[in-house]
Amino acid sequence: MDADVIVVGAGPTGLMLAGELRLGGADVIVLDKLAEPTGQSRGLGFTARAMEIFDQRGLLPRFGQGETLEISPVGHFGGVQFDFTALEGAHFGARGIPQSQTEAVLAAWAAELGADIRHGCEVLALADGFEDGDLAEVTVGTAEGVRRLRARYLVGCDGGKSTVRKLAGIGFPGTEATRAMFLADVTGLDLKPRYLGETLPNGMVMAAPLKEGVHRIIVCPHGAAARSADEQVTFEEVAKAWEHITGEDISSGGAEWVSFFSDATRQAAAYQRGRVLLAGDAAHIHLPAGGQGLSTGVQDAANLGWKLAAVVTGRAGEDLLATYHAERHPVGRRLLMNTRAQGMVFLGGDPAEPLRRILTELTGYDVVRRHLAGVVSHLDIRYDVTDVTDGAENGENGEDAAGAHPLLGRRLGKVPLTGPGGESDTFRLLHAGRGVLLDLAGDPAVREAAAGWAGRVDVVTATASAADRGAVFAGAGAVLVRPDGHVAWTGAGATDGLGAALARWFGAPAGD
């Protein structure tokens, strides 16, 4: 066996997963068919929840701006702008961060943790036996010739045209592309910023400065037919479409690169088949709206990494992996729903104008702003941590179960804490990628109940300020937080159910 896990694809999802696997003690090889990163950046930032994921691992300072990352309180849903801070902790996410920078940050982090990242390695075949055998074996083309690699699990993070998904025979149902849209990094132009897009009679355009002399533009002309993935696009074609929509002539400029995308919407029928799993664009593709694609892939990796590492290192049984599909597939389904809805509003032209108007009216209501901000920021995700056998409700923005603490299944935000070790916060406690049992009441019974999971779950005695405790913990005496930041158990002066929650998410206690 060459590694515990082989990850295919060295984009943000694959690199995030590699780091998560290494934090969990798994040996990992990352394969990417490109000889080196392209340096191109389709994505330009990430959602509020993706920022939290990076913060949970102490990665935000690596983006060069620390806590001064450029974020905007104002976002949009389908081009209808509103204030995301109607939902506590929400914003439109970090903007102006090129995907190439995100990849460089994650690649350095994963390599520091010991991930083996190999470029110029293209997966050619997947051997039989991955469905019911003990290993996944792939044939890989390299500059030195064809090689065969074996691992306990293979994870496809290789994009919407995923070779791994196709080799594993996992269906990718959805809707075909109906239109083509352009994006380019243009030079030699002085463009008016259109950060959230501008809808005009002939289409929609966006523009944002990337660096001195370079702007990212997105051009969505009405009536542009879908294109074959093999077709090429030129700057002249992009400039013509820009002038058609805006009336502005940008043909005197140039472009560092140009490309196109579509509104094709698809989701993998299953996120796991035997020894093969999928994450990121390999599992779901959609109209890019609000940086949700990259961010959802990062969250897929954060959900999968600690679970897969626990399984391959023997700390947990393989049933833990079933929770990956059960939790993340509904999130992907909801992502496709919201991006399709945004496409109809944003790109629907005159026929969609009544829909834009009624949505604009609705955003005048606080409850609507809170709901839409939660959808786009991904802060509204709630997993059913008590029963994830069918995934029917996981990842949906449903009501809290009767009698359940409001935090249960939801992500725990960044809360300042004070303990014997001094000042800290809930995200800093997650830097090591382990579970955290937060003892808020100094209860010896809580610490004793978790003794069998030492090394897998850190028990931390700490208190929050009165305001934070009232707003966030709401009387909970203890909170069990998974490595991905979601709350798996809460207790109010008792440890009932704690042992079962620890065993469910972190395996049997030592000695069993």
Side-chain angles (χ1 to χ4, degrees):
M1 191 169 68
D2 298 281
D4 294 319
V5 181
I6 294 173
V7 175
V8 181
T13 301
L15 294 169
M16 185 73 196
L17 179 60
E20 293 290 297
L21 288 165
R22 288 300 302 141
L23 282 178
D27 292 327
V28 57
I29 295 172
V30 180
L31 305 177
D32 196 277
K33 67 179 181 180
L34 297 178
E36 60 184 18
T38 65
Q40 297 179 1
S41 298
R42 283 178 171 258
L44 279 180
F46 26 80
T47 66
R49 181 55 187 151
M51 283 185 68
E52 289 188 342
I53 293 289
F54 294 146
D55 205 2
Q56 288 173 184
R57 297 298 182 259
L59 292 173
L60 279 187
R62 298 188 181 216
F63 289 92
Q65 301 179 70
E67 295 189 2
T68 65
L69 281 168
E70 182 185 358
I71 61 174
S72 173
V74 177
H76 71 91
F77 189 92
V80 176
Q81 299 180 21
F82 62 97
D83 188 346
F84 273 38
T85 57
L87 180 66
E88 184 179 359
H91 49 74
F92 198 55
R95 67 185 188 189
I97 305 295
Q99 183 174 324
S100 58
Q101 182 181 358
T102 301
E103 291 178 0
V105 166
L106 295 178
W109 174 61
E112 289 167 14
L113 292 172
D116 182 355
I117 303 172
R118 305 180 185 180
H119 284 276
C121 297
E122 182 176 7
V123 172
L124 303 173
L126 172 64
D128 292 338
F130 70 90
E131 289 187 74
D132 50 17
D134 295 329
L135 296 171
E137 180 180 304
V138 290
T139 302
V140 182
T142 74
E144 292 75 33
V146 175
R147 301 285 186 269
R148 287 181 174 80
L149 298 174
R150 299 187 304 164
R152 290 275 304 281
Y153 287 92
L154 175 71
V155 187
C157 302
D158 50 341
K161 301 176 184 178
S162 173
T163 297
V164 172
R165 185 187 65 239
K166 294 171 183 176
L167 291 174
I170 297 175
F172 203 41
T175 60
E176 297 285 352
T178 63
R179 61 192 303 158
M181 293 153 277
F182 308 113
L183 72 163
D185 287 352
V186 297
T187 59
L189 298 167
D190 183 17
L191 297 178
K192 177 183 74 174
R194 295 173 169 97
Y195 292 108
L196 300 181
E198 182 179 3
T199 300
L200 297 164
N202 290 329
M204 189 278 295
V205 294
M206 291 184 179
L210 290 183
K211 56 187 177 182
E212 184 68 29
V214 181
H215 286 74
R216 162 64 54 82
I217 64 171
I218 296 177
V219 192
C220 305
H222 293 325
R227 305 166 67 113
S228 165
D230 298 326
E231 291 185 58
Q232 300 295 315
V233 60
T234 65
F235 173 66
E236 289 74 20
E237 188 174 0
V238 174
K240 184 177 180 180
W242 180 274
E243 185 173 14
H244 175 65
I245 296 172
T246 67
E248 301 169 3
D249 183 2
I250 63 171
S251 61
S252 61
E256 292 187 342
W257 64 278
V258 296
S259 186
F260 72 92
F261 59 96
S262 76
D263 59 349
T265 302
R266 296 184 178 277
Q267 184 180 24
Y271 283 13
Q272 180 180 8
R273 185 176 182 186
R275 297 282 162 179
V276 174
L277 299 110
L278 302 174
D281 288 354
H284 39 74
I285 60 170
H286 52 87
L287 183 75
Q292 294 186 80
L294 183 155
S295 299
T296 301
V298 166
Q299 293 169 73
D300 288 345
N303 185 287
L304 174 60
W306 64 276
K307 296 174 181 178
L308 187 52
V311 171
V312 299
T313 57
R315 301 192 305 272
E318 293 188 355
D319 58 334
L320 180 61
L321 279 184
T323 68
Y324 172 60
H325 172 93
E327 291 181 345
R328 294 305 297 174
H329 195 271
V331 169
R333 183 170 64 240
R334 195 158 186 257
L335 169 70
L336 269 56
M337 176 189 70
N338 99 60
T339 52
R340 288 190 70 190
Q342 291 196 65
M344 292 176 185
V345 177
F346 214 174
L347 305 175
D350 287 341
E353 184 58 28
L355 184 58
R356 283 193 290 272
R357 289 181 179 178
I358 195 67
L359 183 59
T360 300
E361 288 183 11
L362 288 172
T363 55
Y365 295 92
D366 183 68
V367 65
V368 174
R369 293 195 301 272
R370 290 174 58 85
H371 179 80
L372 294 179
V375 168
V376 178
S377 68
H378 301 168
L379 297 183
D380 69 341
I381 295 170
R382 175 183 175 268
Y383 302 136
D384 183 353
V385 294
T386 60
D387 183 5
V388 292
T389 55
D390 60 13
E393 298 298 328
N394 288 340
E396 302 289 350
N397 185 27
E399 297 296 325
D400 295 319
H405 191 283
L407 275 178
L408 193 63
R410 300 187 185 276
R411 112 286 181 211
L412 178 60
K414 191 172 188 175
V415 181
L417 300 169
T418 302
E423 301 295 321
S424 187
D425 62 64
T426 48
F427 285 0
R428 197 179 309 172
L429 298 180
L430 292 168
H431 282 189
R434 295 188 291 269
V436 173
L437 179 56
L438 190 56
D439 173 17
L440 297 163
D443 187 351
V446 169
R447 298 190 294 275
E448 182 180 350
W453 287 270
R456 287 174 273 173
V457 177
D458 298 330
V459 182
V460 179
T461 299
T463 58
S465 70
D468 285 329
R469 186 180 178 86
V472 178
F473 297 115
V479 176
L480 177 62
V481 187
R482 306 189 321 188
D484 60 358
H486 282 260
V487 174
W489 173 89
T490 64
T495 59
D496 296 346
L498 176 56
L502 286 163
R504 180 181 187 84
W505 299 108
F506 300 101
D512 280 18

